[in-house]
Amino acid sequence: MAAERKHLGFFERYLTLWVAICIAVGTFIGSRWPGVADWLDQFTIEQISLPVAVLIWLMIYPMMLQIDFASLKRVGEKKQGLVVTTVTNWLIKPFTMFAIAWFFFFVVFSRWIPPELAEEYLAGAILLGAAPCTAMVFVWSYLADGDPAYTLVQVAVNDLIILVAYVPIVTLLLGVGGVQVPWGTLAVSVVLFVVVPLAGGWLTRTLLVKRHGETWFKESFLPKFGPVTIIALLATLVIIFIFQGQIIVENPFDIVLIAIPLAIQTFLIFGIAYGWSYWWRLDHPIAAPAGFVGASNFFELAVAVAIALFGLNSGATLTTVVGVLVEVPLMLTLVAIANRTREKVCARAACALPKTAAVIDEVVVTEPITPDVAVTAEDA
């Protein structure tokens, strides 16, 4: 049988490598020349680094351009899938992240992580757990032959829920964890890093589609922003680790300790959503993205809020960055699991298998992906 070889963009394919390089570069600069951090610190207003704020907007705005809120009119077409992801994302995921992170940071790793630092790591985990994915899920859904229309609806619904649910959930869990955070600061962070870029993306999309048409917007305008998000993210990481440099040199093992509960959470949430979809007999093109949305994180938002609330050199910011570091290998593993269980899921749902099976074991390097990229087929 012919095998459809999926394509992952060059930046996305090696994101973990780029993050590791940025960690090394930032750590080297920060530990070797601490004056660089002092110089950057002068461009800070109310704990928010202005250079980092600009880079964060460059990270998030291109993703918001992809959100078509007109797709919400189709929300009723995939009711069960939306129930699975919405309940998993907002009623399960934040609380399992809190429980897993608290258990590891305060119990399992207590001999290596002091309580004060454990609180900061917990805060970063909470910020990640309350921010389900809104952009990279397009990539994971694409690699697993997910329904692109359903994925788009899911992301649009998710973005609207973030506007009203993120602040209260994070505030609640930070309070339970003993981390005191002003509600106002958190609310302003969400406005700056979600509402403003979301409104800007919606306005830009609406005006350009009206003027030039949907085809031009997707095929000519969106591709120009392909590498912008990743480049801005990597530049942000270099700045973060300039501030984190001394901490990393003194505690390099902490990155591994942080990654362990984040990885466990990722597999758990995917198992819940994907297993629930299987139990409900949902088609594989719905079940796969349903599992990916909650398993992956809107790490750009988590990084932005961590910086705004706790500062560039905080343990909370370090935790959100580790979330970026482990995102790609973990999610590619889940994509492989979804592809290898395709026949079983389809058999239970009595859905038709696609004529070709997705292959991600050897991902071909090509241009950055958007949700509308055409698939290139090769014979197996």
Side-chain angles (χ1 to χ4, degrees):
M1 181 175 65
E4 185 179 289
R5 195 174 296 273
K6 294 294 188 175
H7 290 63
L8 189 61
F10 180 73
F11 282 111
E12 293 90 345
R13 178 70 179 92
Y14 297 104
L15 179 59
T16 298
L17 175 61
W18 309 141
V19 172
I21 292 174
C22 289
I23 289 175
V25 170
T27 299
F28 177 77
I29 294 173
S31 59
R32 185 73 179 271
W33 299 291
V36 175
D38 295 333
W39 180 78
L40 287 171
D41 200 39
Q42 65 182 317
F43 302 104
T44 300
I45 298 177
E46 296 296 331
Q47 294 193 77
I48 297 178
S49 168
L50 296 183
V52 172
V54 172
L55 290 171
I56 288 173
W57 282 324
L58 288 175
M59 275 194 278
I60 297 176
Y61 173 72
M63 291 187 286
M64 297 308 186
L65 287 172
Q66 300 182 38
I67 309 304
D68 180 12
F69 286 105
S71 64
L72 288 174
K73 63 186 179 183
R74 303 184 60 185
V75 71
E77 295 179 10
K78 311 289 184 181
K79 293 186 181 71
Q80 286 184 304
L82 287 173
V83 169
V84 170
T85 48
T86 302
V87 171
T88 303
N89 290 348
W90 297 104
L91 298 182
I92 298 176
K93 179 183 179 181
F95 305 97
T96 56
M97 175 65 92
F98 173 85
I100 293 171
W102 183 91
F103 177 69
F104 276 92
F105 295 147
F106 286 94
V107 180
V108 180
F109 300 148
S110 59
R111 62 183 297 181
W112 299 293
I113 302 177
E116 299 78 11
L117 193 54
E119 285 188 0
E120 294 188 19
Y121 290 167
L122 176 62
I126 289 170
L127 295 177
L128 280 170
C133 190
T134 63
M136 286 295 283
V137 67
F138 286 122
V139 177
W140 315 132
S141 177
Y142 165 81
L143 292 175
D145 287 327
D147 183 335
Y150 164 73
T151 305
L152 187 60
V153 171
Q154 183 65 44
V155 169
V157 171
N158 203 52
D159 276 353
L160 292 179
I161 295 176
I162 284 178
L163 297 179
V164 297
Y166 188 74
V167 171
I169 288 177
V170 167
T171 303
L172 170 65
L173 293 178
L174 288 177
V176 172
V179 181
Q180 299 302 317
V181 178
W183 177 289
T185 304
L186 183 55
V188 169
S189 299
V190 173
V191 170
L192 286 176
F193 301 120
V194 177
V195 177
V196 172
L198 184 62
W202 171 81
L203 183 61
T204 302
R205 183 186 184 99
T206 300
L207 293 177
L208 290 181
V209 168
K210 184 176 181 180
R211 185 169 184 175
H212 298 285
E214 187 85 14
T215 301
W216 176 88
F217 180 81
K218 291 182 177 180
E219 297 181 1
S220 299
F221 184 75
L222 274 184
K224 296 177 182 178
F225 288 89
V228 171
T229 292
I230 301 298
I231 292 174
L233 171 64
L234 298 179
T236 302
L237 295 183
V238 172
I239 294 178
I240 289 173
F241 278 91
I242 287 176
F243 284 86
Q244 296 274 0
Q246 196 60 41
I247 298 174
I248 298 302
V249 169
E250 295 174 356
N251 304 284
F253 189 50
D254 282 20
I255 291 182
V256 177
L257 299 182
I258 292 170
I260 291 173
L262 297 186
I264 292 173
Q265 162 77 357
T266 299
F267 285 105
L268 174 64
I269 293 302
F270 177 79
I272 291 173
Y274 195 57
W276 186 355
S277 299
Y278 176 78
W279 179 56
W280 264 9
R281 301 178 185 274
L282 300 184
D283 292 355
H284 186 269
I286 302 301
F292 298 146
V293 175
S296 53
N297 299 305
F298 190 178
F299 51 73
E300 295 85 356
L301 173 61
V303 170
V305 176
I307 292 171
L309 294 180
F310 303 104
L312 284 163
N313 59 350
S314 67
T317 299
L318 176 61
T319 301
T320 59
V321 171
V322 174
V324 183
L325 180 65
V326 302
E327 174 95 357
V328 171
L330 290 179
M331 292 308 301
L332 285 177
T333 300
L334 295 182
V335 169
I337 292 173
N339 283 332
R340 288 166 185 167
T341 57
R342 178 195 315 274
E343 293 187 12
K344 188 173 183 179
V345 172
C346 282
R348 180 170 173 81
C351 61
L353 279 168
K355 294 181 180 179
T356 57
V359 176
I360 70 158
D361 295 317
E362 298 179 7
V363 182
V364 178
V365 176
T366 185
E367 294 303 314
I369 286 179
T370 67
D372 303 291
V373 171
V375 175
T376 301
E378 297 180 6
D379 290 335

